[in-house]
Amino acid sequence: VQLQASGGGLVQAGDSLRLSCTASGRTVSRYPMAWFRQAPGKEREFVAVISGNNYPYYNDSVKGRFAISRDNAKNTVYLQMNSLKPEDTAIYYCAADLALIASTQAWEYDFWGQGTQVTVSS
């Protein structure tokens, strides 16, 4: 499975962005798909996951501001990010878990996208 993340950019606090993660090589509709992020000097952090039957789960820090969704026809997962804050600045990675476990732990995930930079200015 190859994952291609896109949609990052430089925005101001309070703005919105939508990240996309398109899979190729295998249909990922039945697999949990997640977003993680990593800020400079920090460990990779769980952001959101969507299960194979479309149940979402979020890190408390983004709950109510971010929404994860998937379009199975496009083999794509999205992360809609609203009310962005400077502390959301990070490289955002999408990941796929072929073990069907909608985990919050990065080590559980089998495939990773290359990352897309999100920078939020104050």
Side-chain angles (χ1 to χ4, degrees):
V1 178
Q2 292 79 45
L3 302 176
Q4 179 72 40
S6 62
L10 171 62
V11 297
Q12 293 186 330
D15 285 350
S16 299
L17 277 175
R18 189 177 78 157
L19 305 184
S20 300
C21 175
T22 299
S24 59
R26 182 181 294 200
T27 299
V28 296
S29 59
R30 60 191 293 259
Y31 300 119
M33 298 289 292
W35 289 93
F36 289 79
R37 65 187 180 187
Q38 189 165 17
K42 295 188 176 181
E43 293 188 354
R44 194 164 295 193
E45 175 188 45
F46 166 77
V47 176
V49 61
I50 186 165
S51 69
N53 50 4
N54 290 332
Y55 285 104
Y57 182 77
Y58 301 95
N59 184 312
D60 285 346
S61 66
V62 307
K63 200 173 294 183
R65 299 188 298 122
F66 290 11
I68 189 170
S69 62
R70 66 198 308 162
D71 183 336
N72 290 333
K74 296 182 178 180
N75 222 23
T76 298
V77 174
Y78 303 99
L79 184 68
Q80 178 66 43
M81 305 186 296
N82 300 324
S83 302
L84 282 161
K85 304 176 180 180
E87 51 264 43
D88 294 319
T89 294
I91 300 174
Y92 283 70
Y93 299 90
C94 59
D97 179 9
L98 302 189
L100 303 180
I101 300 171
S103 174
T104 63
Q105 302 299 312
W107 64 267
E108 297 265 19
Y109 286 81
D110 304 287
F111 296 95
W112 292 83
Q114 84 288 4
T116 185
Q117 176 71 49
V118 173
T119 303
V120 185
S121 63
S122 57

